[in-house]
Amino acid sequence: MKNVLTKKTENFPVKKLDWNKIQLDMKEKLGNDIYDSWLKKINFIDEFNNYILISVSTRFIRDWITSRYLDQILHIVKAHRKEISRIEFTINDQKKEISEIKNKVNQFDNEVIQKVSFIKDSFFQYNRIDPNKNFENFVIGSSNKLAFEASKKVSEDISHYNPLYIYGGVGMGKTHLLNAIGLKFKSKQKVMFISAERFMYQFVKSIKSNEMVKFKDYFRNTDILLIDDIQFMNGKEAMQEEFFHTFNALIDKGSQVIVSADRAPNKLSRIQERIKSRFAGGLVVDIQSPDYELRYKIVRAKINELQLNQKNSINLSEEILKFISLEIKTSIRELVGALNRVISFSRIYNKLPSLAETKSILKDLLNLTENKVTIDLIQTIVCQFFKISKNEMLSARRSRYLARPRQTAIYLAKLLTSKSLPEIGRSFSNRDHTTVIHSVKTIERLRQEDKELNANIDNLKNKILYNRENEI
Ligand code: ADP
Ligand code: MG
């Protein structure tokens, strides 16, 4: 199996992603506990143009990781390789799964397990049509209305716009629309839904195994061809040649072709001019960034969906829904991810988060807090709270009444800023990073043992994050 998985086309990056480094980052960013329980055993399998393939031992672990940590992991991976836009899983031990689930059920309530989002084991699946991405749950706003209407028309009236070319940034709903079109046709027509990457992979594989004829037949026999992320189909003349012929053959026989990309046809690099001009010859529509109104509509729609499907659903306050819609602007994927994170929090702690907690849960997505919280601010607020001076905090004295506030400030610096351990150490009179680790661990432990201290820290956290205007 490994051999098949690691086969690559020549267009993929040469320098391997260093998984060890990513593991270190995961440990640092998500904490030892989460790392040890869930992330340590992730195996890295392979890297492709815009995604990585990892394996975990069971579906349960995959779902758990997906519903809680996936966006953070992706964030970390992106820091090492910015092209990566998704993570795919494969399961390496199906049998272990049953017993695993049984064990974990005692730990976390049964319902959580049933609710965790189901992610298809898509790697070996050729035709990945997801029943959960349809026209009915695609929320329409001014930025995506045209793309939505064109997609609908195409799925009702074959060959009206052919090809249909949908483009827009990452996480804007392109794959969702292609998927919805595929779903509509699936029962009556031969549908092929494939990413350009996958097309290349199959192409190279067929050449190597002398199955080119089969490959051609397979593609040329489809009634509806949906190709996602065409921008990755670059270079490789022979393959572009094949694609061009397939494309023409399909259009000639009246098949519908739908293509998505992250940019307009004329901006595609390393794709033959004649292919670009064929794309431009059909209907070209774009999806733009969602405005506040659409973001809010999407957040509401997701909440309504949850409430319909679950008995004790989460009732996030209007204030929180508005806050999320207002602050998470980059893409719909990030918006949905943020909402899921807040919902997971509510489930795990069995309570509705306050606005302050929401801010803290989403802190890495909110540039605003990230930029404003400085170590200096943390030190000031902690000193004020413990009634000590900043000189005392930064001094070398070790008496308990100074050590605890110092450790607390170090812990909060780690929690609330993105500074590295050595950077934090430097801000505390050049202390070593091992001192920083020790402080963080001490406070983490004390938070479990000492209710009052824990409450104080929550208090401080909120002061630092949100009461800055009334400060000092
Ligand atoms: P893209 O292919 O443009 O990168 P996706 O189609 O994968 O983006 O969308 C990212 C996520 O956001 C998916 O979970 C998708 O279902 C959701 N999404 C995107 N647009 C909408 C929308 N208009 N209504 C509801 N969900 C959406
Ligand atoms: Mg996509």
Side-chain angles (χ1 to χ4, degrees):
M1 176 159 108
K2 191 102 196 207
N3 276 342
V4 179
L5 294 176
T6 48
K7 228 179 245 173
K8 293 182 182 186
T9 73
E10 282 131 45
N11 290 311
F12 295 120
V14 190
K15 197 167 152 273
K16 269 250 166 218
L17 197 63
D18 186 345
W19 190 250
N20 288 335
K21 280 204 188 123
I22 291 183
Q23 281 188 311
L24 284 178
D25 283 0
M26 292 197 294
K27 197 169 176 172
E28 198 187 315
K29 296 246 159 65
L30 290 128
N32 282 343
D33 290 347
I34 292 175
Y35 177 77
D36 286 339
S37 324
W38 302 104
L39 310 178
K40 196 160 98 189
K41 287 172 241 140
I42 295 178
N43 286 313
F44 174 72
I45 295 192
D46 209 352
E47 174 187 5
F48 298 85
N49 259 344
N50 70 337
Y51 69 100
I52 59 167
L53 179 69
I54 58 182
S55 84
V56 290
S57 55
T58 67
R59 259 167 232 277
F60 174 77
I61 294 181
R62 176 197 61 194
D63 289 346
W64 190 265
I65 292 176
T66 306
S67 62
R68 282 164 186 77
Y69 315 119
L70 197 63
D71 51 345
Q72 295 176 74
I73 299 173
L74 185 61
H75 205 76
I76 292 170
V77 174
K78 266 179 175 303
H80 291 264
R81 181 88 85 225
K82 64 176 187 320
E83 294 82 12
I84 302 295
S85 64
R86 59 177 210 275
I87 294 177
E88 299 221 350
F89 287 80
T90 161
I91 310 296
N92 54 24
D93 188 354
Q94 310 277 357
K95 273 179 251 144
K96 233 175 101 192
E97 169 163 299
I98 310 278
S99 63
E100 182 95 27
I101 290 179
K102 281 186 185 148
N103 290 339
K104 298 281 181 187
V105 164
N106 302 330
Q107 235 169 308
F108 309 100
D109 74 346
N110 202 348
E111 225 173 323
V112 170
I113 291 161
Q114 287 165 7
K115 284 173 196 158
V116 286
S117 62
F118 179 72
I119 304 293
K120 279 224 211 89
D121 227 8
S122 50
F123 191 70
F124 294 106
Q125 237 173 308
Y126 215 168
N127 235 343
R128 316 165 38 191
I129 298 185
D130 179 346
N132 297 317
K133 290 187 173 140
N134 46 47
F135 283 127
E136 288 67 42
N137 66 9
F138 188 86
V139 184
I140 307 153
S142 55
S143 53
N144 60 17
K145 194 163 183 280
L146 272 180
F148 173 82
E149 279 171 359
S151 306
K152 271 235 97 144
K153 284 229 171 79
V154 156
S155 50
E156 279 152 16
D157 181 16
I158 287 213
S159 294
H160 202 64
Y161 307 123
N162 208 4
L164 170 64
Y165 184 102
I166 303 176
Y167 75 94
V170 175
M172 297 299 179
K174 303 181 296 293
T175 303
H176 189 131
L177 279 180
L178 259 58
N179 193 91
I181 299 173
L183 264 178
K184 271 268 175 225
F185 281 122
K186 210 172 89 175
S187 54
K188 294 184 227 95
Q189 315 260 4
K190 257 188 240 138
V191 177
M192 169 62 91
F193 181 24
I194 190 167
S195 69
E197 247 171 337
R198 193 72 199 162
F199 181 89
M200 298 200 303
Y201 174 82
Q202 290 300 336
F203 178 83
V204 173
K205 212 173 116 186
S206 325
I207 293 183
K208 286 188 180 154
S209 55
N210 267 330
E211 288 182 328
M212 242 359 244
V213 176
K214 233 171 153 186
F215 178 87
K216 285 186 185 174
D217 284 352
Y218 203 92
F219 280 91
R220 291 188 189 179
N221 266 328
T222 56
D223 301 317
I224 316 293
L225 176 65
L226 297 137
I227 300 213
D228 206 5
D229 288 323
I230 196 82
Q231 72 273 11
F232 292 121
M233 166 114 50
N234 49 25
K236 281 221 161 282
E237 281 300 311
M239 195 189 51
Q240 291 207 19
E241 207 61 33
E242 175 54 32
F243 175 72
F244 185 66
H245 291 305
T246 305
F247 183 87
N248 287 336
L250 286 175
I251 302 245
D252 285 349
K253 82 175 176 90
S255 297
Q256 174 75 47
V257 180
I258 301 111
V259 176
S260 88
D262 67 350
R263 63 199 85 173
N266 61 350
K267 299 260 167 61
L268 291 169
S269 53
R270 302 180 64 206
I271 289 195
Q272 294 178 357
E273 284 305 321
R274 54 182 188 164
I275 298 184
K276 290 192 214 175
S277 74
R278 288 239 48 175
F279 288 158
L283 179 67
V284 178
V285 285
D286 68 335
I287 306 187
Q288 283 147 10
S289 296
D291 55 12
Y292 171 76
E293 205 186 326
L294 176 58
R295 297 198 302 270
Y296 180 74
K297 256 164 99 180
I298 289 174
V299 164
R300 264 257 81 101
K302 295 276 163 201
I303 290 284
N304 292 348
E305 197 179 303
L306 279 178
Q307 283 171 342
L308 269 181
N309 296 337
Q310 282 151 20
K311 36 186 178 6
N312 49 354
S313 58
I314 307 288
N315 245 328
L316 294 175
S317 71
E318 198 53 30
E319 186 191 22
I320 303 245
L321 299 186
K322 288 202 166 126
F323 174 78
I324 297 175
S325 322
L326 197 66
E327 294 296 337
I328 313 290
K329 301 182 202 150
T330 31
S331 77
I332 297 177
R333 175 172 305 144
E334 189 151 295
L335 180 71
V336 175
L339 182 67
N340 284 338
R341 228 200 263 180
V342 176
I343 291 171
S344 299
F345 170 94
S346 320
R347 296 217 167 110
I348 293 172
Y349 296 101
N350 204 11
K351 71 174 222 183
L352 292 174
S354 64
L355 184 61
E357 279 161 340
T358 306
K359 289 180 181 176
S360 174
I361 299 165
L362 301 178
K363 79 176 155 73
D364 57 315
L365 301 176
L366 304 170
N367 303 330
L368 93 189
T369 46
E370 187 76 9
N371 294 339
K372 285 184 197 158
V373 175
T374 59
I375 298 188
D376 189 58
L377 174 73
I378 295 175
Q379 289 171 339
T380 310
I381 293 183
V382 173
C383 284
Q384 191 195 35
F385 182 86
F386 286 103
K387 303 195 171 54
I388 62 171
S389 74
K390 226 172 185 168
N391 281 341
E392 284 176 308
M393 167 166 286
L394 298 178
S395 72
R397 287 163 55 197
R398 292 182 180 208
S399 52
R400 164 75 70 99
Y401 93 101
L402 295 181
R404 210 47 102 224
R406 190 181 294 133
Q407 287 167 339
T408 303
I410 291 178
Y411 168 82
L412 289 169
K414 181 79 195 77
L415 190 70
L416 303 177
T417 74
S418 53
K419 297 272 186 277
S420 68
L421 300 173
E423 278 172 319
I424 296 174
R426 278 198 288 281
S427 307
F428 284 81
S429 313
N430 272 328
R431 283 178 161 78
D432 192 73
H433 76 278
T434 52
T435 312
V436 177
I437 295 177
H438 175 75
S439 305
V440 173
K441 286 212 162 127
T442 308
I443 301 293
E444 270 173 358
R445 178 173 50 79
L446 289 173
R447 283 192 79 164
Q448 314 265 344
E449 295 165 3
D450 183 338
K451 272 213 171 105
E452 194 187 327
L453 179 137
N454 193 32
N456 282 342
I457 290 196
D458 277 339
N459 225 327
L460 276 167
K461 207 164 95 186
N462 288 341
K463 259 208 174 88
I464 292 163
L465 286 175
Y466 321 112
N467 282 347
R468 286 186 304 271
E469 59 282 7
N470 321 325
E471 73 202 21
I472 332 272

